[in-house]
Amino acid sequence: MYHHSASTSGPAAGSATGLLDPAADARDALLFQRCTWCGTAMYHRLLCPVCQGSELRTERSEGVGTVRHSTVVHRNTPAARNVSLVEMAEGFVVRGRVMGPPVGIHSGDRVRLSTAKDPVRGEPVFQLVDEPYRAWT
């Protein structure tokens, strides 16, 4: 069993071990993994879904993405809320919540990260960018 000791030095930020600088404020940053072998970006995985590699390094996302799917959920909540799949600019997909009226969130809307962890559900929260992208209108 390994126990972290403050007297030992850690690896460099963004190294192949997947560690980032602990001094950085990760509360408002969305962290994802990138495979060191094939370069595939993914969110919370143990193995790369493309090459099955286990050498993943952790990176910080810019927080900009596009809604790929959104649905309104009425269960286990006092009011309706949306659950959206957001494709981030780095190439990975994350499930989260987009602020705003639940029926006003559509596929193709551009979003920006607001909070990396919702205090209740523990998932990322996004806000709409002013100019939505409408592919079919």
Side-chain angles (χ1 to χ4, degrees), residues 69-85 95-98 100-105 121 123:
H69 178 75
S70 184
T71 187
V72 179
V73 177
H74 295 279
R75 67 172 186 261
N76 299 331
T77 182
R81 63 181 173 87
N82 71 28
V83 176
S84 300
L85 292 177
R95 186 182 86 171
R97 182 172 59 92
V98 179
V103 295
I105 312 301
R121 304 231 178 251
E123 57 190 21

Side-chain angles (χ1 to χ4, degrees), residues 13-134:
S15 68
T17 59
L19 300 176
L20 283 176
D21 182 14
D25 185 18
R27 194 186 88 193
D28 288 332
L30 188 61
L31 304 178
F32 69 99
Q33 296 130 330
R34 188 174 302 277
C35 179
T36 57
W37 290 99
C38 68
T40 301
M42 67 213 79
Y43 186 71
H44 287 270
R45 294 289 198 115
L46 294 174
L47 297 174
C48 175
V50 175
C51 71
Q52 302 300 314
S54 62
E55 292 184 27
L56 308 175
R57 69 176 180 267
T58 303
E59 296 181 10
R60 182 171 281 113
S61 172
E62 291 181 18
V64 178
T66 305
V67 175
R68 287 294 161 224
H69 178 75
S70 184
T71 187
V72 179
V73 177
H74 295 279
R75 67 172 186 261
N76 299 331
T77 182
R81 63 181 173 87
N82 71 28
V83 176
S84 300
L85 292 177
V86 177
E87 183 177 350
M88 303 304 290
E90 293 82 8
F92 66 96
V93 177
V94 62
R95 186 182 86 171
R97 182 172 59 92
V98 179
M99 293 188 297
V103 295
I105 312 301
H106 304 288
S107 296
D109 286 347
R110 305 232 342 124
V111 293
R112 178 174 301 282
L113 183 68
S114 175
T115 306
K117 276 207 165 198
D118 181 7
V120 176
R121 304 231 178 251
E123 57 190 21
V125 179
F126 298 92
Q127 60 186 6
L128 287 170
V129 175
D130 292 335
E131 58 276 350
Y133 172 71
R134 299 279 189 244

